[in-house]
């Protein structure tokens, strides 16, 4: 939350002194908010967003969800070197009760093995080995949401068939990943469906996205792009939800999908 507020203030070309004057508080209070050392009331957040001239409703809803976490420091704070955009997403994810995820290229992070994650990061980033390991550990902790005692995350994912056909990390890594994917697909709170090549063109071919549902806050859509992460406006959430349901309807059933995944692993 603090990282996002700092980015918004800097984008607005304001100092902590400027903001403090408008909020009638000290610059150090603003710094503490941005440093994640204090919680932020919704009324204060809304005033800050006015000062920073944030008008995108999707972004506003996302920040409100983050603010609901109050003074709770997320587990991901231990990995302080993670990119702000990634920390923002996993912060939202940690508060979600359901995730609907469409993946066109790779296995969803929630269902990846460590070896698959490591191979994927090594191929797609120029980060140091330590940074890659931090990502791997963070992703492993993210997966604990699926087995938490207090309301485990409900995950419904649709995968393009290319996800299970593309060999990442070599045959052994991919075989282990596919077996893990099939096993997770049998969990009570996980649904995995594969969208087969034979289905031809379909809605959603523009790219992967995830819809996060919360207990007491508006749903949020996350889409990853080359130019940065995108959180579409609130008005677009229903459109993404409709696309996701169309993808599910076009995909194989969960049982048929598990069979295809297991056949691919053999």
């Amino acid at each position: 939350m603090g990282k996002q507020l700092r980015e918004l203030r800097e984008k607005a070309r304001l100092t902590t002194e400027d903001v403090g004057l408008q909020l009638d508080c000290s610059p150090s209070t603003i710094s503490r908010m941005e440093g994640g050392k204090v919680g932020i009331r919704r009324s204060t957040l809304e005033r800050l967003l006015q000062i920073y001239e944030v008008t995108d409703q999707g972004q506003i809803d996302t920040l409100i969800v983050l603010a609901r976490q109050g003074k709770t420091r997320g587990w991901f704070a231990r990995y302080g070197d993670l990119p702000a955009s990634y920390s923002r997403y996993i912060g939202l994810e940690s508060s979600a009760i359901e995730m609907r995820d469409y993946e066109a290229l790779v296995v969803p992070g929630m269902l990846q093995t460590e070896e698959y994650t490591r191979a994927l990061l090594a191929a797609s980033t120029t980060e140091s080995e330590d940074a890659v390991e931090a990502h791997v550990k963070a992703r492993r902790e993210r997966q604990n949401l699926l087995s938490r005692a207090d309301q485990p995350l409900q995950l419904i994912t649709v995968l393009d068939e290319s996800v299970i056909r593309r060999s990442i990390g070599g045959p052994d890594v991919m075989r282990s990943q596919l077996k893990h994917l099939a096993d997770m697909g049998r969990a009570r709170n996980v649904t995995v469906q594969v969208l087969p090549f034979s289905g031809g063109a379909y809605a959603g071919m523009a790219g992967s996205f995830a819809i996060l549902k919360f207990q007491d806050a508006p749903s949020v859509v996350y889409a990853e792009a080359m130019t940065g992460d995108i959180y579409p406006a609130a008005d677009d959430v229903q459109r993404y939800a409709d696309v996701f349901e169309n993808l599910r309807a076009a995909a194989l059933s969960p049982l048929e999908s598990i069979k295809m995944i297991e056949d691919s692993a053999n």
Side-chain angles (χ1 to χ4, degrees):
M1 183 69 186
K3 289 179 181 179
Q4 302 309 311
L5 291 177
R6 183 173 63 251
E7 289 178 0
L8 290 172
R9 176 177 59 76
E10 292 173 348
K11 185 177 179 181
R13 299 181 181 277
L14 296 172
T15 66
T16 54
E17 289 78 7
D18 295 330
V19 180
L21 285 172
Q22 296 193 58
L23 272 185
D24 194 24
C25 66
S26 67
S28 62
T29 298
I30 303 301
S31 296
R32 293 178 67 199
M33 290 179 184
E34 294 178 354
K37 296 178 180 178
V38 294
I40 303 172
R41 294 180 179 177
R42 178 164 177 165
S43 58
T44 301
L45 172 62
E46 290 175 342
R47 178 62 183 135
L48 282 171
L49 296 181
Q50 290 177 354
I51 294 171
Y52 300 151
E53 298 183 353
V54 178
T55 57
D56 181 85
Q57 192 58 49
Q59 186 176 22
I60 292 172
D61 288 342
T62 298
L63 291 169
I64 287 174
V65 171
L66 285 175
R68 284 180 181 273
Q69 296 178 15
K71 297 180 180 179
T72 302
R73 190 169 178 82
W75 60 263
F76 47 89
R78 295 198 297 274
Y79 305 96
D81 55 346
L82 294 175
S85 59
Y86 187 54
S87 294
R88 177 188 183 187
Y89 173 72
I90 60 180
L92 288 168
E93 185 182 76
S94 297
S95 297
I97 60 173
E98 179 188 272
M99 177 194 299
R100 286 171 284 172
D101 188 15
Y102 167 62
E103 291 292 341
L105 297 173
V106 300
V107 173
M110 280 288 180
L111 303 176
Q112 292 176 9
T113 62
E114 286 189 36
E115 294 78 11
Y116 182 95
T117 299
R118 194 172 285 109
L120 189 63
L121 290 172
S124 61
T125 71
T126 57
E127 295 180 339
S128 67
E129 188 173 323
D130 288 344
V132 169
E133 285 305 308
H135 274 279
V136 172
K137 290 179 180 178
R139 190 155 297 182
R140 186 172 63 233
E141 289 211 45
R142 284 174 56 199
Q143 295 170 354
N144 291 333
L145 295 175
L146 294 174
S147 57
R148 63 188 175 193
D150 181 20
Q151 195 174 24
L153 179 69
Q154 300 293 313
L155 174 63
I156 305 170
T157 185
V158 176
L159 313 177
D160 186 83
E161 186 176 341
S162 62
V163 171
I164 64 173
R165 301 300 183 192
R166 179 175 293 103
S167 181
I168 292 176
D172 291 340
V173 170
M174 197 62 196
R175 188 178 301 110
S176 177
Q177 173 61 78
L178 290 175
K179 289 181 178 179
H180 177 68
L181 184 60
D183 289 342
M184 291 300 297
R186 294 187 175 92
R188 294 181 62 182
N189 58 314
V190 177
T191 300
V192 177
Q193 292 182 252
V194 177
L195 197 60
F197 290 146
S198 59
Y202 50 84
M205 294 187 75
S208 306
F209 64 89
I211 306 171
L212 300 176
K213 181 180 179 181
F214 305 93
Q215 187 75 50
D216 299 305
S219 294
V220 171
V221 173
Y222 166 82
E224 192 171 347
M226 288 293 290
T227 55
D229 301 329
I230 302 171
Y231 291 82
D235 292 345
D236 293 328
V237 173
Q238 187 58 52
R239 181 169 64 85
Y240 275 89
D242 291 342
V243 169
F244 188 81
E245 290 308 310
N246 288 336
L247 290 170
R248 288 198 69 186
L252 299 175
S253 71
L255 287 177
E256 292 172 325
S257 297
I258 290 175
K259 185 178 186 306
M260 175 183 278
I261 293 168
E262 289 180 327
D263 288 345
S264 298
N266 297 326

